[in-house]
Amino acid sequence: MLLQLSEIREIQFFLCLTNIILGIQLVLFFFNRYHKINAERLQLNKVLLSYGSVCLLSIIGAFILIINRVFISSPYLKEILDKLGYILIFFSIITFLFFITSEEFSKIIKLNTIKVLIILIFIPIILVILIPSNAFIFSFIKIIFMVLSLVLLCTFQIRLVIKAKSKIKKHLIQILIGGIMSFGSLFFVIEIFIHLLYPLENSTNLLFLFTLSFITGFIIILSGVYDFPAFFELNWEENLINLFIINQNNNSCLYKYNFSGIFQEGRLLKEKDEYYRKSFEDIFLGGITGIDRIIAEITNTENEKINKIKRENSLVFLEYGSNFFSNITYALITKKDLDSNLYFLKSLKKKFEYIFKEVLIDVEDFEEKEQLFKNFDVIIDDLLL
Amino acid sequence: MIFLEFPITGDMRFPLLILEWISMIILLEISLVFLFRYKKQEKTLKNLQDIGYFAIFSGFSLMSLFYILGDYYSSDSIIFPFLIWIYGSERIFFLNLGYFTALIACFVLIFCIEKYNVFFYKKYFYSSIISIFTFLFLITFFIDIRITQRFTYGFWYTFLIFFINFLIKFFKKLKYKGIFLFIAIALLASGYSLTTDIFITMFGLESRMIGDILQLISLLLLSYFFFTLIDFSEFDWKEKTEALFLIDKAGICLYHKIFKKKKELISENLISAAISIVNEMLNELIGSGNDKGVLIIKKPNQIVMIYSGETLSGVLYMTEDLNFPKVKLKEFVDKFELLFKNIIQDQSIKFPKEKLFNYTETITEDLFFK
């Protein structure tokens, strides 16, 4: 005969199961979103992997604990599964921290702190393995650890929200609010229901309340993850200097944009030192094409193009037009070597070719090119804000 | 013949419950995806069909919950009196709630789909029939809850015919994904049949178990299908687009394109001038303010959409009032202005004006044909 539970137990089990299934969907959403936006491997996108992994392991851990509580009667197996469930939950924090150990996250939390935390988390894991699950100290360790983990996750998320800007900030706030509701509820479901209130038949209402809170949190997180945008490096836009779109056939500038005018001097000062700027542009436009040809000649790589020119305090990212527009070069001058710059340049190229593709086919027929492409300012402003 | 007893008990109870509960949650999850898709759509692009799909999946999820309550937690024994009725049982009561939820959900779906599509000869044809069944169901529900099930047969047949009708239309656009959808729906239908009382009395609860597994597989396939499907707003609109005009503030036609060869129109210059006058008159009469939306003029079989940009206006002739073409029209005018505003406004710019037409043709191809 298969398992028979009382009706109350069944309902309690199904409420827990609801949390688990919704949690799994959340994990799929996090990983799927990461996969979609990570074409240029922006480091901060890994925050989605962090969230996904913490969800995945906590959900599996919680599932094991629930199954253990409801179905398993052998004390030996019960002990093993109890430990396994908590180890997975504790380990989820390690995976969370592991994904944010890249340099870019150091602006939010010090890398050394993360490394120390990862090592520290192994202590409760070892203790959980060594201490019997029915000992008081076992309950004490796990509750303290889970509360500290929630505090850690919240602190990290709040700092991330503070540092983030524009659209992404809204998404991160949604994930923060939803996360507090969902994980707070999951904590209560695991700790309060499974361990403290399970013997009480009338704890169903409380469990129902937590499940509702979990579902609400889940919906809020889902709203935040649904169209989560690519996460550029923090304050990356401040490292942008100039953008040039060059017609290589005659070294003429089709379009230029001065970012420093916006982020450092203010837009009104854009025209300052016009003479100096003009001569710099002329040298730059011809220079880029010349350098490309020289390097191709001396390295015998005529079919390959230069992607990046690096000096100590500045860089030039280069992209080339696709298909019919191979004579167009997109040059972005920046201060730092950030992945976001390349992602941004590629987005600009895509937009420019999409909007002006009809004109670009016979661009050399026009005399007033800068006038023609001037409206692209609007698109850049939109991408930046 | 196997005698069925409710609530379901025995060895099969718990595994069946788990399967049915998981199906219910997955239905809820799919419905949430549609809700998000609707919420995240651009305001002018919002398509009520997504709300319809949200309604059907969340409705079926709720219906499953009522069925679970009816089959696993309620007695089938007839009580008299039962609540407000002379006769009744807990199970019949919950099943009725399930039927009612399904009726409402199907009505919302059909209504939302029929808002954008005409099936048979009349708009809202199926919605009207379903609303009649809902009305009859409600009357019967308050008289005798034991006989309501008979009305649901008529409703299910109507829904099935509508669904086949819709799928035939829908399949053409889906190409190879249509086969995927067909398999999922076939599994769902056969799975559902195996869970009905007729099959269970013939083959026992094992039939219900197989039915539940088939439904679960089908739901997983459907989840994948719907998560990877493009917006419904992108279907069908091209067939309903008849003509496009681009006119300047003076009412001169800069460009026009007739999409339907059968469409016979007077001179494009006359149309442009007339549209321009109408647009101006409407601005005077009802005001445009800062509203950059699309103006819609409706006739029984003709819709005229006008979008006014800073210097130019775009006009689209449609056979139906759809959302997606509005976005395309807006995109068309905005793109044209972004490209050529300087040239049109500043006469000193030397630009080969004859090329304007070629470029506009390419933009049209790109936005309205690809």
Side-chain angles (χ1 to χ4, degrees):
Chain A
M1 181 165 158
L2 287 171
L3 187 97
Q4 293 276 350
L5 295 174
S6 70
E7 278 186 6
I8 293 289
R9 286 276 174 270
E10 263 179 11
I11 293 168
Q12 289 177 342
F13 173 76
F14 286 118
L15 289 175
C16 292
L17 189 66
T18 307
N19 294 344
I20 303 292
I21 299 167
L22 292 176
I24 290 168
Q25 194 197 6
L26 205 56
V27 172
L28 293 176
F29 263 88
F30 275 124
F31 289 154
N32 182 42
R33 196 68 207 152
Y34 174 76
H35 175 70
K36 275 189 179 167
I37 62 172
N38 203 37
E40 294 309 320
R41 306 203 176 279
L42 299 177
Q43 288 299 312
L44 286 178
N45 283 345
K46 280 190 180 171
V47 78
L48 291 175
L49 282 185
S50 281
Y51 298 144
S53 63
V54 83
C55 274
L56 179 68
L57 293 178
S58 328
I59 291 293
I60 296 173
F63 184 63
I64 291 172
L65 290 174
I66 291 164
I67 295 288
N68 192 27
R69 187 69 191 170
V70 180
F71 298 109
I72 309 296
S73 49
S74 150
Y76 178 68
L77 196 58
K78 225 176 173 53
E79 175 80 9
I80 293 173
L81 288 179
D82 222 17
K83 285 173 189 283
L84 183 65
Y86 281 107
I87 288 169
L88 282 172
I89 292 171
F90 293 178
F91 200 74
S92 70
I93 305 298
I94 295 181
T95 57
F96 176 83
L97 293 171
F98 171 76
F99 284 116
I100 56 168
T101 45
S102 58
E103 190 59 40
E104 192 47 39
F105 285 97
S106 62
K107 290 172 190 165
I108 299 149
I109 183 167
K110 284 182 182 166
L111 291 185
N112 285 337
T113 315
I114 298 176
K115 284 169 192 165
V116 170
L117 281 171
I118 289 177
I119 296 164
L120 282 178
I121 294 168
F122 277 103
I123 298 170
I125 290 179
I126 294 164
L127 288 175
V128 162
I129 295 169
L130 296 176
I131 301 167
S133 66
N134 55 2
F136 171 74
I137 190 80
F138 184 89
S139 305
F140 181 74
I141 290 169
K142 73 194 183 199
I143 290 178
I144 290 290
F145 179 80
M146 284 169 84
V147 171
L148 287 177
S149 304
L150 282 175
V151 172
L152 173 74
L153 294 180
C154 286
T155 314
F156 171 80
Q157 187 69 5
I158 289 167
R159 294 177 82 152
L160 194 62
V161 168
I162 293 167
K163 292 268 182 187
K165 283 181 183 169
S166 62
K167 287 177 199 164
I168 205 125
K169 193 172 188 128
K170 190 183 141 201
H171 287 267
L172 288 170
I173 291 172
Q174 284 176 331
I175 293 174
L176 172 68
I177 297 168
I180 292 171
M181 288 183 82
S182 293
F183 281 89
S185 310
L186 196 66
F187 169 73
F188 280 106
V189 167
I190 296 169
E191 284 310 311
I192 310 289
F193 166 66
I194 296 182
H195 291 281
L196 300 177
L197 295 180
Y198 189 78
L200 299 173
E201 292 279 328
N202 57 6
S203 61
T204 313
N205 291 345
L206 204 60
L207 191 64
F208 184 69
L209 205 69
F210 286 130
T211 305
L212 273 184
S213 160
F214 183 89
I215 293 173
T216 314
F218 164 82
I219 292 170
I220 298 170
I221 297 181
L222 206 62
S223 167
V225 188
Y226 190 78
D227 51 357
F228 195 88
F231 203 159
F232 290 157
E233 277 95 342
L234 299 168
N235 302 324
W236 70 281
E237 62 274 23
E238 286 169 12
N239 91 101
L240 300 172
I241 301 172
N242 273 312
L243 168 78
F244 292 102
I245 300 177
I246 309 159
N247 180 5
Q248 278 195 335
N249 291 348
N250 54 11
N251 295 331
S252 62
C253 179
L254 298 178
Y255 176 78
K256 64 184 176 197
Y257 192 94
N258 183 7
F259 296 97
S260 58
I262 296 174
F263 297 110
Q264 286 161 16
E265 303 160 36
R267 202 184 253 281
L268 289 172
L269 295 176
K270 254 174 110 176
E271 305 306 318
K272 193 181 161 188
D273 294 335
E274 193 54 38
Y275 174 75
Y276 168 76
R277 213 175 282 256
K278 185 85 184 86
S279 53
F280 163 75
E281 279 166 23
D282 289 344
I283 296 165
F284 181 80
L285 300 178
I288 284 291
T289 318
I291 290 167
D292 191 26
R293 283 183 192 152
I294 293 167
I295 298 292
E297 198 66 43
I298 60 170
T299 55
N300 199 19
T301 51
E302 279 168 31
N303 295 327
E304 290 157 22
K305 302 267 190 184
I306 299 172
N307 289 322
K308 200 192 278 180
I309 301 170
K310 209 168 174 181
R311 284 199 65 182
E312 200 171 345
N313 294 322
S314 63
L315 290 104
V316 183
F317 286 87
L318 294 163
E319 270 291 314
Y320 301 91
S322 40
N323 304 324
F324 300 115
F325 318 121
S326 57
N327 58 324
I328 311 287
T329 303
Y330 302 80
L332 181 68
I333 308 174
T334 65
K335 290 178 197 161
K336 292 178 196 166
D337 188 4
L338 304 176
D339 292 330
S340 301
N341 295 333
L342 188 60
Y343 188 90
F344 179 63
L345 185 60
K346 284 187 176 175
S347 309
L348 284 180
K349 178 186 127 181
K350 218 166 149 183
K351 292 251 176 196
F352 192 79
E353 286 182 1
Y354 175 71
I355 294 168
F356 297 109
K357 68 179 167 202
E358 295 85 9
V359 183
L360 285 174
I361 293 170
D362 40 19
V363 68
E364 277 154 47
D365 294 354
F366 314 128
E367 287 171 23
E368 319 264 349
K369 294 181 190 70
E370 286 196 25
Q371 284 280 5
L372 189 64
F373 298 113
K374 204 180 154 206
N375 292 335
F376 196 61
D377 282 3
V378 183
I379 304 293
I380 296 193
D381 289 344
D382 189 49
L383 279 172
L384 288 172
L385 298 173
Chain B
M1 181 79 82
I2 297 160
F3 179 68
L4 256 183
E5 200 177 289
F6 293 97
I8 295 170
T9 49
D11 291 352
M12 299 293 278
R13 178 190 160 89
F14 201 61
L16 280 173
L17 243 175
I18 291 179
L19 284 172
E20 287 174 28
W21 191 270
I22 293 173
S23 298
M24 186 196 81
I25 302 294
I26 291 177
L27 281 167
L28 180 72
E29 288 178 331
I30 299 177
S31 75
L32 285 176
V33 171
F34 280 108
L35 185 66
F36 277 108
R37 200 150 88 170
Y38 177 77
K39 283 205 72 137
K40 301 276 175 178
Q41 275 166 354
E42 196 188 315
K43 209 175 172 184
T44 47
L45 187 58
K46 278 194 188 296
N47 191 327
L48 271 182
Q49 282 193 44
D50 284 329
I51 284 291
Y53 289 100
F54 163 72
I56 196 85
F57 284 108
S58 58
F60 278 8
S61 173
L62 196 59
M63 184 186 80
S64 309
L65 179 67
F66 286 130
Y67 281 6
I68 288 172
L69 290 174
D71 289 350
Y72 296 94
Y73 296 101
S74 312
S75 162
D76 200 23
S77 46
I78 300 289
I79 302 166
F80 108 102
F82 178 75
L83 301 175
I84 56 165
W85 297 276
I86 302 168
Y87 298 96
S89 75
E90 288 173 355
R91 181 171 183 258
I92 294 174
F93 175 70
F94 280 118
L95 291 183
N96 270 279
L97 290 182
Y99 302 147
F100 185 64
T101 315
L103 272 165
I104 297 293
C106 290
F107 173 75
V108 175
L109 172 78
I110 294 173
F111 180 81
C112 291
I113 290 176
E114 285 194 312
K115 188 175 163 58
Y116 303 101
N117 297 280
V118 179
F119 297 98
F120 283 158
Y121 63 96
K122 195 174 172 279
K123 204 170 185 180
Y124 300 121
F125 173 76
Y126 286 106
S127 307
S128 315
I129 296 178
I130 295 286
S131 59
I132 292 167
F133 277 117
T134 313
F135 184 65
L136 287 174
F137 177 90
L138 270 178
I139 293 172
T140 327
F141 178 75
F142 289 109
I143 297 167
D144 188 346
I145 53 169
R146 292 173 306 164
I147 56 166
T148 48
Q149 200 177 19
R150 286 165 211 170
F151 286 98
T152 62
Y153 296 139
F155 148 73
W156 282 120
Y157 285 130
T158 315
F159 183 68
L160 195 70
I161 295 166
F162 163 79
F163 202 61
I164 292 167
N165 208 329
F166 177 67
L167 280 182
I168 292 167
K169 220 172 171 181
F170 194 49
F171 266 167
K172 288 178 200 163
K173 328 267 179 202
L174 289 174
K175 295 170 188 167
Y176 76 95
K177 272 197 171 183
I179 302 162
F180 195 77
L181 180 64
F182 179 78
I183 295 169
I185 290 170
L187 281 175
L188 191 68
S190 48
Y192 181 76
S193 316
L194 289 171
T195 60
T196 54
D197 289 357
I198 305 164
F199 273 88
I200 299 171
T201 45
M202 282 160 67
F203 304 110
L205 285 172
E206 286 77 6
S207 150
R208 187 164 178 145
M209 171 71 91
I210 297 166
D212 282 343
I213 293 170
L214 289 179
Q215 284 187 79
L216 196 58
I217 295 168
S218 156
L219 285 176
L220 292 174
L221 291 175
L222 281 178
S223 308
Y224 173 76
F225 173 81
F226 284 115
F227 290 163
T228 54
L229 192 68
I230 55 163
D231 281 2
F232 288 106
S233 49
E234 291 185 34
F235 289 116
D236 260 2
W237 67 274
K238 284 179 192 168
E239 292 158 21
K240 286 155 189 166
T241 311
E242 294 190 326
L244 171 73
F245 299 88
L246 187 71
I247 52 181
D248 69 5
K249 289 283 175 207
I252 296 164
C253 180
L254 298 177
Y255 170 80
H256 80 283
K257 177 97 185 167
I258 309 294
F259 295 101
K260 279 195 176 167
K261 283 178 186 167
K262 286 179 191 169
K263 189 82 186 169
E264 284 177 17
L265 294 166
I266 53 167
S267 154
E268 67 274 8
N269 286 322
L270 285 173
I271 291 174
S272 303
I275 290 285
S276 194
I277 292 165
V278 169
N279 202 9
E280 279 302 314
M281 282 169 72
L282 285 171
N283 283 347
E284 286 298 320
L285 288 170
I286 53 176
S288 62
N290 294 322
D291 183 16
K292 295 289 285 174
V294 179
L295 173 73
I296 311 285
I297 301 169
K298 278 188 186 181
K299 288 191 78 179
N301 291 314
Q302 186 76 73
I303 305 291
V304 180
M305 295 176 177
I306 306 170
Y307 172 74
S308 301
E310 270 181 61
T311 51
L312 303 165
S313 294
V315 182
L316 205 56
Y317 281 21
M318 303 283 302
T319 50
E320 261 184 64
D321 182 9
L322 303 178
N323 282 328
F324 199 60
K326 290 176 200 165
V327 179
K328 287 282 171 188
L329 177 66
K330 190 171 170 288
E331 212 176 318
F332 174 74
V333 175
D334 288 346
K335 188 171 180 183
F336 195 88
E337 281 193 337
L338 191 71
L339 272 170
F340 304 116
K341 193 172 78 184
N342 292 345
I343 295 157
I344 293 166
Q345 285 179 332
D346 188 351
Q347 298 298 323
S348 67
I349 298 175
K350 290 165 193 163
F351 186 86
K353 299 269 188 308
E354 69 280 359
K355 289 198 169 174
L356 262 177
F357 182 80
N358 292 337
Y359 294 145
T360 319
E361 191 72 35
T362 326
I363 298 171
T364 312
E365 288 275 332
D366 196 39
L367 289 175
F368 292 91
F369 289 99
K370 274 187 186 170

